[in-house]
Amino acid sequence: MSAQTAPVPLLIACALGIEQFALRAGGRGGAGGPVTVLRTGMGPAAAERAVTRVLADPALRDAAVLATGFCAGLAQDMHPGDLVVAEETRDPRGTTPCVGTELLVQELARALPGRTVHTGPLTGSDHVVRGPERSALRATGAIAVDMESAVTLLSAVRAGERPVAAVRVVVDAPEHELVRIGTVRGGISAFRVLRSVLPAFFEWHRSLLLPRR
């Protein structure tokens, strides 16, 4: 098989050990090509370093990149365990359009029937967002915020043209503020949801496995 028709690798990037554990607990069966789950570490600087380093590997140079993990919801109707599929990610350095949003929404609804899936802009921050700052970000049109997705996708497209997407699970919402990140370890619904998203990611990945011109 020529390099032009080889399967596109999939890089799934998350920040935290608990997120990586959830994804690995979900299994990798059904992927249509090589899959790497990368733990970047928390925060935009760590995510940028990790993603840039991994995509410099020739084996992952052309990988599709999907950022995932937990996020803070910005809308009043959001609850822990809801899903966010980004139409674009934003940070002060730019906006990155996402690919295959509609397919991800469809496949997440299939994998997690009954779970609410929100779509819209996902914004980046370099710190945990609370209170009035949450309202200010919502006023920009963003529906959720996390610290790694925007820089992950921006770093990915700067390293080379590739499909990118971001899917996050709400663990912190306006009426359900998270006191500390360690609370995630309590077996809450967000962990269970993240453990169940891989089939949707693999369907998104398979949709990309077309011969390159």
Side-chain angles (χ1 to χ4, degrees):
M1 182 179 291
S2 70
Q4 289 187 324
T5 59
V8 177
L10 173 61
L11 177 65
I12 300 173
C14 61
L16 305 175
I18 190 68
E19 295 167 338
Q20 186 182 50
F21 179 72
L23 292 164
R24 287 181 171 171
R28 299 191 193 179
V35 179
T36 299
V37 178
L38 170 69
R39 176 186 174 185
T40 65
M42 185 182 291
E48 182 175 18
R49 285 193 301 270
V51 171
T52 301
R53 172 180 54 80
V54 168
L55 292 180
D57 182 339
L60 291 172
R61 182 180 54 201
D62 298 323
V65 175
L66 197 155
T68 194
F70 303 122
C71 72
L74 298 176
Q76 290 296 327
D77 62 346
M78 285 183 164
H79 299 88
D82 285 2
L83 287 146
V84 171
V85 178
E87 293 176 340
E88 64 183 28
T89 57
R90 304 170 174 175
D91 79 359
R93 294 182 297 173
T95 297
T96 306
C98 295
V99 173
T101 297
E102 291 184 5
L103 176 63
L104 279 167
V105 171
Q106 173 185 316
E107 294 300 330
L108 286 167
R110 191 194 309 271
L112 290 148
R115 284 289 173 186
T116 301
V117 182
H118 306 266
T119 60
L122 176 61
T123 195
S125 175
D126 61 1
H127 59 277
V128 175
V129 173
R130 301 191 188 283
E133 190 176 7
R134 191 192 299 268
S135 300
L137 289 175
R138 177 59 181 166
T140 70
I143 64 168
V145 57
D146 73 83
M147 291 192 284
E148 297 84 24
S149 291
V151 72
T152 291
L153 299 199
L154 186 61
S155 299
V157 298
R158 285 183 172 178
E161 185 177 351
R162 71 189 73 247
V164 294
V167 175
R168 289 276 172 169
V169 181
V170 174
V171 72
D172 180 37
E175 296 181 4
H176 308 270
E177 282 206 349
L178 188 67
V179 176
R180 61 186 184 280
I181 196 65
T183 309
V184 174
R185 296 182 179 274
I188 61 175
S189 61
F191 177 87
R192 299 189 185 100
V193 171
L194 188 60
R195 192 174 56 190
S196 303
V197 297
L198 283 181
F201 294 178
F202 294 157
E203 286 300 322
W204 178 80
H205 184 214
R206 271 193 286 271
S207 77
L208 308 174
L209 299 182
L210 300 173
R212 297 193 171 187
R213 293 173 180 261

